[in-house]
Amino acid sequence: MKTIEVDLDERSYPIYIGKSLLSDQRLFEKHVTSSQVMIITNETVAPLYLEIVEKRLTNVNYETLILPDGETSKSLDSLNQVITRLMEKKYSRTCILIALGGGVIGDLTGFAAACYQRGVTFIQIPTTLLAQVDSSVGGKTAVNHALGKNMIGAFYQPCAVLADTEVLSTLPEREFSAGLAEVIKYGIIRDKEFYDWLEENIESIMARDDDALEYTIERSCINKAEVVAEDERESGIRATLNLGHTFGHAIETALNYKEWLHGEAIGCGMLMAADLSMRLGLMDQTKVERIKTILERAKLPTQIHKDVTLEQMLENMKVDKKSRDGVLYLILLNDIGKAVVTSDYTEEALKETINHFLARK
Ligand code: NAD
Ligand code: GLY
């Protein structure tokens, strides 16, 4: 088992990574320090992993809330369900919530923990690759509003993250690839050595080889923990974690959050950011080709979905969260391993990039 510390003074916490962590009684005893516990999960994950977690909760009164699968569970309605159940069962401020699932369950549970009685403890047990390398770490919690994704939320850190690599064996292939997009992201924005390693080992990772997976998650979490420790509330360097997100969100919005998974849109968006960097003379073409190749090997799309138009892309990019005083800042690349946040690009180059990636011209 590997342990990485997210260093945030009194809000610091460990991320445990390894095989069979869900069977590790001592880990649970160390972190489940309340006798009032609520596990929040969904109807896909529950039949797979709820029982094994329940077995770890000896001498504890626990409740289980099983929500429907899907992004729709990241809603104010679900938040209300969690809070109602906690109140009905008379849970006090010392209770602990456990998020057992992917990013949807993690984001919702984290936000419920931030809200209930002004903040209770929560543990992340991420079960998708995306959640293990990204969403369970760093304390961004949220639910969606009808008018926008992640619009109601808080920065609120868990007390521990338990990433058991074994649970990834049941993850569908597309979901696994979507998580890999976020892994590749760390290499591209700040860790060239990791990027080189990923190029050499992508087939072993895709085959879900234990050692390759453990190292992939560990190195991703080290990168995320370093960035979060430096800039918890995204006033600077944390924005680089959004590489490809402005392009990706524009694609997701145009597709009404259907057709493509988040990680698939981010993968394509990262390549578009690399292409724009090349057009602006920041990075050479061979590096853009390298990024395209690794995304293809990870079975991620490298062209915008055929139903999306240039006009939709431009319109959707305008309302991005990284827009400040009407100026849209983008994450671009000076090199593989060197991301920059900048508004120094031309509309013409941006349109050329979008046009280049449109499947429907
Ligand atoms: P998800 O939670 O919807 O999980 C994807 C699918 O995999 C679901 O159908 C789920 O039931 C299933 N699943 C989960 N674990 C499984 C397992 N071990 N075996 C089989 N199936 C399993 O999606 P996700 O990609 O994990 O997360 C996406 C969410 O995360 C989005 O809401 C996004 O906004 C959010 N997110 C948050 C952050 C953050 O920093 N908080 C970062 C990135 C993404
Ligand atoms: N997923 C981006 C962040 O945590 O900042």
Side-chain angles (χ1 to χ4, degrees), residues 4-15 136-140 155-159 224-234 238:
I4 294 156
E5 193 72 10
V6 183
D7 188 2
L8 290 167
D9 302 322
E10 74 285 358
R11 282 165 292 105
S12 299
Y13 55 95
I15 307 167
S136 68
V137 176
K140 279 191 182 175
F155 286 97
Y156 194 72
Q157 303 293 343
C159 72
K224 180 129 190 197
E226 283 175 3
V227 172
V228 169
E230 198 177 324
D231 178 23
E232 185 184 8
R233 297 178 79 89
E234 200 169 309
R238 186 162 181 173

Side-chain angles (χ1 to χ4, degrees), residues 16 38-39 41 49 51 65 102 136 155 175 206 210 215 222 227 238 250 257 285 291-292 300-301 351 358:
Y16 302 103
M38 184 175 288
I39 308 170
T41 186
Y49 303 112
E51 195 183 332
L65 186 61
S136 68
F155 286 97
E175 296 288 353
M206 291 294 282
D210 283 336
Y215 183 69
I222 288 172
V227 172
R238 186 162 181 173
Y257 292 91
Q285 173 77 34
I291 294 174
K292 181 166 187 253
L300 286 161
K351 280 187 187 159
L358 282 176

